[in-house]
């Protein structure tokens, strides 16, 4: 009986065969494994979506009779008509916790008035605009010391910490210093705008920097207390909502954008603007550069 010996060449051939077989097995396992569901599909499967908001930003979202109401809330209801079997679960959080909560996966989407900046657009998947966000000042009604925006030189201005309005105020301060050699006396930062408005009335600040739509709403609600300084001092900005900018979230972001564009085109967005702000805005259906 003759025994077959394994020389170096036959051993190499055997290794190649094993490698091919392993490759076939691996491909077979990958092909038979179910594809990982993206976030939109996961939401459909579990039957709910977790939305983060800051319900202290009238008229976008605020508490009335124990419920969250406002422009964003109504607009979200129309958006979610595209997912009729999905329930909305809302977490009402301070502004400073919303985007970190989104990044950490604790929220599926953030539906609140987010001022779009280049930094946020680079880090998150911001939607198409939902409203104008250009920043202006509000003062105490009857305060003749501030008649136009540049009159905040040497004054105390309040705004929200970590907000787009803070960034616009800091940029305007730099512009004033460049043009006039001096700028805002102090920029005070608050957790929420309600605290800033209260300090304005209590004369702890001279003005509050905020986006124009909520300021006009504030003035309409309290005409004897507040006066908005127009025109706005900041560059043209917009409010948007936000999702995560990862592959799993792509289809969910596309869903929100598609629905928002449709609501902008069919007039629903304009009706909601008139309802909550008392005027309509020129809101593009794409994200400006």
């Amino acid at each position: 009986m003759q025994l077959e010996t394994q020389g170096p060449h036959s051993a190499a051939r055997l290794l190649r065969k094993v490698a091919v077989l392993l490759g076939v097995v691996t491909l077979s396992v990958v092909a038979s494994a179910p594809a990982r569901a993206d976030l939109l599909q996961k939401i459909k499967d579990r039957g709910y979506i977790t939305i983060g908001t800051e319900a202290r930003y009238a008229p976008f979202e605020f508490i009335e009779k124990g419920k969250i109401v406002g422009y964003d809330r109504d607009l979200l209801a129309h958006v979610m008509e595209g997912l009729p079997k999905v329930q909305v679960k809302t977490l009402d959080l301070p502004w400073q916790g919303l985007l970190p909560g989104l990044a950490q996966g604790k929220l599926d989407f953030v539906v609140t008035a987010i001022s779009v900046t280049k930094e946020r657009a680079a880090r998150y998947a911001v939607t198409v605009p939902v409203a104008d966000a250009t920043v202006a000042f509000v003062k105490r009604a009857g305060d003749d010391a501030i008649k136009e925006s540049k009159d905040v030189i040497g004054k105390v201005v309040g705004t929200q910490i970590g907000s787009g309005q803070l960034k616009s105020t800091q940029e305007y301060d730099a512009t004033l210093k460049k043009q006039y050699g001096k700028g805002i006396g102090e920029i005070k930062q608050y957790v929420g705008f309600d605290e800033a408005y209260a300090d304005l009335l209590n004369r702890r600040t001279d003005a509050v920097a905020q986006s124009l739509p909520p300021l006009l709403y504030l003035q309409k609600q309290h005409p004897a207390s507040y006066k908005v300084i127009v025109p706005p001092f900041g560059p043209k900005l917009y409010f948007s909502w936000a999702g995560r900018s990862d592959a799993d979230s792509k289809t969910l972001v596309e869903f929100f954008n598609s629905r928002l564009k449709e609501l902008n085109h069919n007039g629903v967005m304009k009706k909601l603007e008139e309802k909550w702000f008392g005027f309509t805005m020129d809101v593009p259906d794409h994200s400006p550069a």
Side-chain angles (χ1 to χ4, degrees), residues 33-81:
R36 185 177 68 172
D38 63 20
L39 182 54
L40 179 58
Q41 188 59 51
K42 290 177 183 175
I43 289 168
K44 291 178 180 178
D45 292 342
R46 72 191 184 204
Y48 69 88
I49 182 172
T50 303
I51 297 292
T53 193
E54 180 198 22
R56 288 165 297 281
Y57 198 62
F60 286 91
E61 43 269 327
F62 59 102
I63 303 295
E64 186 175 81
K65 297 179 181 179
K67 294 184 178 181
I68 301 176
V69 298
Y71 172 77
D72 278 336
R73 198 66 180 177
D74 281 359
L75 190 57
L76 175 62
H78 284 284
V79 168
M80 293 307 296
E81 288 174 359

Side-chain angles (χ1 to χ4, degrees), residues 57-62 68-79 111-113 128-132 213 217 239-241 260 263-264 268-281 283:
Y57 198 62
F60 286 91
E61 43 269 327
F62 59 102
I68 301 176
V69 298
Y71 172 77
D72 278 336
R73 198 66 180 177
D74 281 359
L75 190 57
L76 175 62
H78 284 284
V79 168
V111 175
T112 196
V128 297
V130 298
D132 189 284
Y217 177 83
F239 286 124
S240 292
W241 301 343
L260 288 171
L263 295 170
N264 195 356
V268 170
M269 191 177 286
K270 288 288 184 287
K271 290 180 180 178
L272 294 179
E273 290 168 359
E274 190 65 46
K275 172 185 176 181
W276 288 106
F277 301 103
F279 58 90
T280 60
M281 311 174 206
V283 181

Side-chain angles (χ1 to χ4, degrees), residues 54-268:
E54 180 198 22
R56 288 165 297 281
Y57 198 62
F60 286 91
E61 43 269 327
F62 59 102
I63 303 295
E64 186 175 81
K65 297 179 181 179
K67 294 184 178 181
I68 301 176
V69 298
Y71 172 77
D72 278 336
R73 198 66 180 177
D74 281 359
L75 190 57
L76 175 62
H78 284 284
V79 168
M80 293 307 296
E81 288 174 359
L83 294 174
K85 296 181 180 180
V86 174
Q87 178 187 0
V88 175
K89 292 188 176 182
T90 303
L91 293 181
D92 179 15
L93 302 170
W95 161 250
Q96 294 77 13
L98 287 174
L99 293 179
L102 178 67
Q104 294 165 11
K106 297 177 181 178
L107 305 170
D108 296 320
F109 223 80
V110 172
V111 175
T112 196
I114 300 173
S115 301
V116 180
T117 63
K118 289 182 179 179
E119 293 80 9
R120 287 175 183 161
R123 186 171 181 182
Y124 302 97
V126 295
T127 65
V128 297
V130 298
D132 189 284
T134 307
V135 184
F137 292 120
V138 64
K139 65 176 183 175
R140 289 182 296 277
D143 181 4
D144 293 332
I146 302 177
K147 296 181 179 179
E148 54 184 314
S149 294
K150 70 178 181 64
D151 292 337
V152 296
I153 291 175
K155 305 291 186 181
V156 179
V157 174
T159 192
Q160 189 178 49
I161 186 172
S163 66
Q165 292 87 346
L166 171 61
K167 181 178 175 62
S168 291
T169 305
Q170 291 169 332
E171 291 174 349
Y172 187 60
D173 179 45
T175 298
L176 290 174
K177 289 175 180 176
K178 185 176 181 180
Q179 291 182 350
Y180 301 101
K182 51 186 177 180
I184 297 170
E186 180 188 356
I187 300 175
K188 294 185 69 172
Q189 300 181 36
Y190 296 84
V191 173
F193 279 103
D194 287 345
E195 294 89 342
Y197 298 148
D199 267 10
L200 176 60
L201 291 186
N202 290 325
R203 299 181 180 272
R204 297 189 183 98
T205 63
D206 301 297
V208 172
Q210 164 68 298
S211 294
L212 187 59
L215 285 187
L216 292 175
Y217 177 83
L218 177 72
Q219 179 179 269
K220 182 180 179 182
Q221 298 298 112
H222 308 281
S225 300
Y226 301 101
K227 177 66 176 177
V228 180
I229 301 170
V230 289
F233 69 84
K236 194 67 173 178
L237 294 176
Y238 295 97
F239 286 124
S240 292
W241 301 343
R244 286 186 294 279
S245 58
D246 54 41
D248 283 356
S249 301
K250 183 177 179 181
T251 54
L252 180 62
V253 175
E254 290 174 348
F255 164 76
F256 270 87
N257 277 331
S258 175
R259 292 290 296 150
L260 288 171
K261 288 179 182 180
E262 181 180 350
L263 295 170
N264 195 356
H265 289 171
N266 66 16
V268 170

